[in-house]
Amino acid sequence: MEEQKETPPPIIDQLKEYAETQIKLAKYEAIDRSAKFLASFITDMVVALAFVLTFLFLSFALAFILSRWLGSNWAGFGCMAGIYLIIAIIIILLKDKMQQPLINLFIRKFFQ
């Protein structure tokens, strides 16, 4: 009996297999990157929500303290509204300087 030597697969088959492997790898990398981005986004949103709630309750506390010092609720809450108006004006004036760092942060976060 003659022994048959195993012949290597033709180069075309190897190239097809290589291409399929590369496509699978690209899919897995895309899934991995998407999952990391989504997890990071959800975590950041939970942290942001915690900060917003903390800020909200501290604002109410400060408004009530101001109300007690000024002797009326509307005056305390009015002062808080004025503080927020000043903050909003500052943010509007600094909008252009704030945009680019935020854009860079989101791009870095996406490509992590």
Side-chain angles (χ1 to χ4, degrees), residues 15-17 24 28 39 72 87 109-110:
L15 286 174
K16 283 181 184 178
E17 187 177 325
K24 283 182 185 178
Y28 292 145
S72 93
I87 291 171
K109 191 75 107 168
F110 184 73

Side-chain angles (χ1 to χ4, degrees), residues 82-95 98:
I83 291 170
Y84 289 138
L85 180 63
I86 291 169
I87 291 171
I89 290 170
I90 291 171
I91 289 173
I92 289 170
L93 293 175
L94 297 175
K95 178 182 158 189
M98 293 171 62

Side-chain angles (χ1 to χ4, degrees), residues 5 9 13 16 22 27 34 48 54 56 63 65 68 70 75 77 80-81 85 104:
K5 287 187 180 178
D13 291 338
K16 283 181 184 178
Q22 288 299 323
K27 286 180 185 177
S34 299
T54 302
L56 178 70
I65 289 170
R68 186 172 278 177
L70 298 173
F77 282 87
M80 283 305 297
L85 180 63
N104 291 339

Side-chain angles (χ1 to χ4, degrees), residues 6-107:
E6 238 181 81
T7 59
I11 190 79
I12 302 293
D13 291 338
Q14 289 178 350
L15 286 174
K16 283 181 184 178
E17 187 177 325
Y18 177 76
E20 289 172 2
T21 303
Q22 288 299 323
I23 290 171
K24 283 182 185 178
L25 178 62
K27 286 180 185 177
Y28 292 145
E29 286 176 348
I31 290 169
D32 182 54
R33 185 171 284 172
S34 299
K36 284 180 182 176
F37 177 76
L38 186 61
S40 175
F41 179 75
I42 290 172
T43 304
D44 289 346
M45 288 300 107
V46 169
V47 169
L49 179 64
F51 277 122
V52 166
L53 289 174
T54 302
F55 182 74
L56 178 70
F57 287 118
L58 286 176
S59 296
F60 275 113
L62 185 58
F64 282 118
I65 289 170
L66 288 173
S67 296
R68 186 172 278 177
W69 286 348
L70 298 173
S72 93
N73 283 340
W74 68 267
F77 282 87
C79 285
M80 283 305 297
I83 291 170
Y84 289 138
L85 180 63
I86 291 169
I87 291 171
I89 290 170
I90 291 171
I91 289 173
I92 289 170
L93 293 175
L94 297 175
K95 178 182 158 189
D96 293 334
K97 291 181 181 178
M98 293 171 62
Q99 270 182 331
Q100 195 59 44
L102 287 173
I103 291 170
N104 291 339
L105 175 73
F106 290 135
I107 289 172

